[in-house]
Structure formats: structure tokens, C-alpha cells
């Protein structure tokens, strides 16, 4: 049927797992994690050279989104009595293809690849990970595995928000005024570079100690949110064509007033209550509440002449192909805050939990890069 089990099926591999949700103490190193198996013809097994952490890893460690993710893992509830544990976190991978399903023609063992693994699958803080072929792309040639692992998840999240949801592309950005709230994290540093590569005017909001980094990445204006009332500071600037919000919270109450009215200007937020609604209200009521919320907000702002949108991470090998071209042409570079060894994964989680990241926290899964 076009299926092929891994010859190493039944053998174990080193991995960082959680056996329940909670704080950093739930992270456990094991050498007994089951080796991944190819279940579908379009899957590949990747030997992980480097991975990186994202805020979603902190959220998942604490149990956020578990209701929705478990539904996605087992929509028909065929595995009654089984749980998602032991669960491996980590979404980004840069590594080498070890094995391909019979339906995979685009990749072969030995290819250097990168990918962002969706959160309902086992993650990349492991020696090997299985991915669908359509989630995988050839790693940019100019980057090491350590550098490459910093980009897929944040790159695809920004790509989803700016291109798929926001409608921006390299032919319609020239001269557009873009505001990025929360510009110094992983998604923000990628978004600043992408918008500059596409010819936009970028205003980046971050704390003062990240302003040098923002200028280096090409931001035209850098606003320090700590140096006074942010809303008042931004109101002194000309209106914007597009706002990307990585911060959420109270910013949503006033940020849309900074957009040009009746000109197709758009506000896209990556901070949404979708998973939280499902955790609190269950799948059906949570989805209903989410639909009502986004529908009412969209209509309210449409009546004021601006577009309001939600965006989410979307796994996509073809989008990573386009991102790899931008990287290899020198238009986008990874921004790495700190690199940890595989034995230091709990320390890396604490670093991310401390906040105020300047780019990404990367894990070298194998020490030779």
C-alpha cells in the first residue's frame, strides 16, 4: 500500500519529553523514546542536527491548547485510554533526511533539510523526528544547521500573517508604512527583514536595548515602548497601511486607530483566544465562541474602514522554499539570542521564559555542526 516501516522500529533514541503538564520540572531526558516510524507514504524521517524553542513550547509544556491539539491528534477518538504522553516539544528542525516513505520523490536520504513540525505532532527535541514531505524544504545553503534551526517556525508564522492573511507580497509593499509591535522576538525580527526585503517602510516597537538590532535589520523608525506612553508616541507618526501585532493585550484597543481609514489598511494579530477558548469551553463551544469573537471584531472594524484579521502558524514546505531563497540571497538572516547544548534544554526553557528575547533560543542536538 505504499507504506514502509522503519527498519529501526522498536529501537529507542534520546529525547526530551514531558509526562504531564506543568512548569520546567516536567521536562525529562530519556534514552528510551520510541524511534519514529513512517506511517504514510509521504513522510520522511529527519536526523535532527539543531532545533529551537518558541513561545508555543512554553505554552504546550504548561498544557495550553491541549484540548484542540488532542482533537487534532485523534479526531475520531480511536485511541481511547491512550494519552499524548510522553510528549516531545520543539517545532523547528534543521537536519538530514535519513529515510523516505515510498511516495516521497522530492527528497532522498542525505539531503540537508529544514522544517517546522506542527504542534499536534511529536517535536524536534529528539535525535530523530518524522515529518510530512510537504512540511519539509531544502535548508538554505549559506546557513549552518544551528543558524537554520532559528527560522522555520517564526518565518512561517510571519509569512502566514503578512502574506497569506495580510495579502502583502514583494510587488505591493513598496512605500507601504508597516508597524510591527513586539519586533525584537523571533517573529518580529523575521517580519522586519521580510518587509524591508519587499520594499516597505518599517516602524519597529521594542525596548531600547533592542534598538541597535532593529536598525541593523533595516527598520526605518524604532520606538521604545518603555520611554513613555506608546500610544501617544505612535500617534505623532503618519498613519500606517499595515500593523502586525505580536503583543496583544491592551494594544488591540488603540492600535487600529493608527491605520489609514478606507484604504484597505489591515491589522493582523498573532495573539488570539482560539486555543484558550477550547481549553475552557470544550471543542464545540470554544469554536463557537471564537467564531463569534472574530466575526464581531471584524465587522466592528470594517465599519470603521479598516480590516481586522487573526493569523496562525501554518506548516508549509513550499513557503520555506521561498524563505530559503530570501536567506540565500542575503535578504533575511537568522537572529540568534543564545545557543544551548542538548543537555541544557531545561536551561533553554528558563531562558525563553525570562522574556525579552533578542531573536531565537537554539538547541544544538548534535554537537558537531
Amino acid at each position: 500500500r505504499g507504506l514502509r516501516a522503519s527498519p529501526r522500529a522498536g529501537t529507542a533514541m534520546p529525547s526530551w519529553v514531558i509526562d504531564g503538564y506543568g512548569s520546567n520540572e516536567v521536562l525529562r531526558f530519556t534514552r528510551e523514546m520510541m524511534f519514529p516510524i513512517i506511517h504514510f507514504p509521504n513522510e520522511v524521517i529527519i536526523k535532527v542536527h539543531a532545533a529551537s524553542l518558541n513561545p508555543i513550547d512554553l505554552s504546550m509544556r504548561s498544557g495550553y491548547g491541549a484540548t484542540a491539539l488532542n482533537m487534532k491528534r485523534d479526531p475520531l477518538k480511536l485511541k481511547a485510554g491512550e494519552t499524548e504522553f510522553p510528549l516531545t516539544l520543539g517545532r523547528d528542525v534543521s537536519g538530514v533526511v535519513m529515510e523516505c516513505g515510498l511516495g516521497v520523490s522530492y527528497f532522498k536520504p542525505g539531503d540537508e533539510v529544514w522544517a517546522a513540525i506542527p504542534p499536534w505532532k511529536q517535536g524536534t527535541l529528539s535525535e530523530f523526528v518524522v515529518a510530512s514531505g510537504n512540511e519539509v524544504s531544502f535548508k538554505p545553503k549559506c546557513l549552518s544547521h544551528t543558524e537554520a534551526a532559528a527560522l522555520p517556525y517564526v518565518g512561517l508564522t510571519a509569512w502566514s500573517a503578512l502574506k497569506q492573511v495580510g495579502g502583502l507580497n514583494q510587488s505591493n509593499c513598496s512605500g507601504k508604512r508597516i508597524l510591527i509591535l513586539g519586533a525584537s522576538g523571533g517573529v518580529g525580527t523575521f517580519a522586519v527583514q521580510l518587509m524591508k526585503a519587499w520594499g516597505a517602510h518599517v516602524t519597529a516597537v521594542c525596548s531600547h536595548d533592542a534598538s541597535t538590532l532593529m536598525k541593523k535589520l533595516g527598520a526605518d523608525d524604532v520606538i521604545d515602548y518603555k520611554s513613555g506612553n506608546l500610544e501617544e508616541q505612535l500617534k505623532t507618526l503618519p498613519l500606517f497601511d499595515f500593523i502586525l501585532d505580536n503583543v496583544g493585550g491592551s494594544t488591540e484597543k488603540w492600535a487600529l486607530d493608527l491605520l489609514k481609514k478606507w484604504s484597505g489598511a489591515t491589522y493582523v494579530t498573532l495573539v488570539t483566544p482560539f486555543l484558550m477558548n477550547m481549553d475552557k469551553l470544550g471543542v464545540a463551544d470554544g469554536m463557537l465562541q471564537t467564531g463569534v469573537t472574530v466575526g464581531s471584531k471584524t465587522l466592528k472594524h470594517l465599519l470603521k474602514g479598516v480590516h481586522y484579521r487573526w493569523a496562525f502558524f501554518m506548516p508549509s514546505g513550499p513557503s520555506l522554499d521561498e524563505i530559503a531563497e530570501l536567506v540565500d540571497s542575503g535578504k533575511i538572516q537568522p537572529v540568534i539570542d543564545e545557543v544551548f547544548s542538548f543537555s541544557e534544554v531545561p536551561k533553554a526553557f528558563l531562558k525563553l521564559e525570562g522574556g525579552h528575547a533578542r531573536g531565537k533560543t537554539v538547541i544544538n542536538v548534535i554537537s558537531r555542526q
Side-chain angles (χ1 to χ4, degrees):
R1 292 192 303 148
L3 305 182
R4 183 166 74 197
S6 161
R8 300 174 210 81
T11 62
M13 64 175 179
S15 187
W16 281 94
V17 299
I18 60 173
D19 302 302
Y21 298 117
S23 59
N24 223 39
E25 289 69 45
V26 297
L27 289 166
R28 172 175 69 88
F29 179 74
T30 177
R31 295 188 177 278
E32 301 302 316
M33 189 61 175
M34 202 172 89
F35 195 91
I37 294 169
I38 288 176
H39 288 286
F40 299 100
N42 69 330
E43 289 182 331
V44 298
I45 292 175
I46 301 167
K47 181 171 178 62
V48 182
H49 282 234
S52 76
L53 296 184
N54 297 282
I56 189 172
D57 294 305
L58 290 176
S59 303
M60 286 178 66
R61 187 200 66 193
S62 305
Y64 171 77
T67 304
L69 294 175
N70 281 336
M71 185 188 77
K72 182 73 179 169
R73 288 176 187 122
D74 184 20
L76 301 177
K77 299 211 171 8
L78 299 175
K79 300 172 184 168
E82 286 188 32
T83 71
E84 63 271 34
F85 304 113
L87 183 63
T88 304
L89 302 175
R91 311 272 50 97
D92 294 297
V93 56
S94 182
V96 175
V97 174
M98 296 299 289
E99 189 179 340
C100 300
L102 295 176
V104 176
S105 55
Y106 200 58
F107 302 104
K108 64 185 186 306
D111 285 343
E112 295 198 324
V113 294
W114 64 344
I117 311 294
W120 52 88
K121 295 186 179 180
Q122 286 288 23
T124 61
L125 296 176
S126 216
E127 188 180 15
F128 295 92
V129 69
V130 70
S132 299
N134 58 7
E135 294 161 358
V136 180
S137 163
F138 292 107
K139 174 181 80 66
K141 295 180 181 64
C142 68
L143 298 185
S144 68
H145 287 297
T146 307
E147 292 166 328
L151 284 173
Y153 189 87
V154 294
L156 288 171
T157 303
W159 196 263
S160 158
L162 298 167
K163 191 174 186 190
Q164 265 103 349
V165 175
L168 299 175
N169 58 57
Q170 65 189 90
S171 58
N172 69 7
C173 274
S174 183
K176 274 196 173 150
R177 288 182 52 78
I178 312 286
L179 173 63
I180 298 174
L181 298 163
S184 65
V187 174
T189 51
F190 185 95
V192 169
Q193 294 181 84
L194 182 62
M195 291 296 89
K196 289 311 297 176
W198 286 351
H201 178 285
V202 174
T203 301
V205 174
C206 57
S207 63
H208 174 69
D209 60 338
S211 58
T212 307
L213 170 63
M214 288 298 110
K215 287 289 186 188
K216 184 175 160 229
L217 296 178
D220 300 281
D221 294 324
V222 182
I223 308 293
D224 175 10
Y225 69 86
K226 292 179 176 173
S227 70
N229 183 298
L230 177 58
E231 183 182 355
E232 297 307 319
Q233 289 185 77
L234 290 170
K235 277 183 176 167
T236 64
L237 302 175
L239 293 172
F240 295 94
D241 298 288
F242 189 97
I243 297 174
L244 175 64
D245 188 355
N246 295 300
V247 177
S250 62
T251 52
E252 194 177 291
K253 294 186 176 69
W254 50 262
L256 285 105
D257 295 332
L258 304 169
L259 288 169
K260 296 173 183 173
K261 306 287 185 284
W262 307 107
S263 65
T266 304
Y267 166 93
V268 176
T269 180
L270 289 161
V271 184
T272 71
F274 177 61
L275 295 177
M276 189 175 69
N277 280 344
M278 289 177 75
D279 284 342
K280 280 197 331 202
L281 303 170
V283 173
D285 288 347
M287 290 177 83
L288 181 65
Q289 177 65 54
T290 301
V292 168
T293 303
V294 74
S296 61
K297 285 184 177 182
T298 302
L299 183 61
K300 181 177 90 171
H301 293 300
L302 200 55
L303 295 172
K304 294 180 184 174
V306 294
H307 297 287
Y308 174 95
R309 300 277 187 273
W310 285 359
F312 304 91
F313 158 78
M314 288 190 267
S316 168
S319 296
L320 280 176
D321 290 343
E322 293 186 68
I323 292 169
E325 279 180 41
L326 287 162
V327 173
D328 278 330
S329 65
K331 300 217 171 115
I332 288 179
Q333 57 185 327
V335 180
I336 295 174
D337 194 7
E338 195 168 345
V339 180
F340 293 86
S341 69
F342 195 44
S343 63
E344 297 176 309
V345 163
K347 199 169 151 191
F349 269 84
L350 289 176
K351 158 80 179 153
L352 187 64
E353 212 160 6
H356 304 293
R358 302 288 166 263
K360 290 297 300 291
T361 301
V362 177
I363 314 285
N364 273 342
V365 175
I366 60 173
S367 52
R368 303 180 308 281
Q369 290 304 309

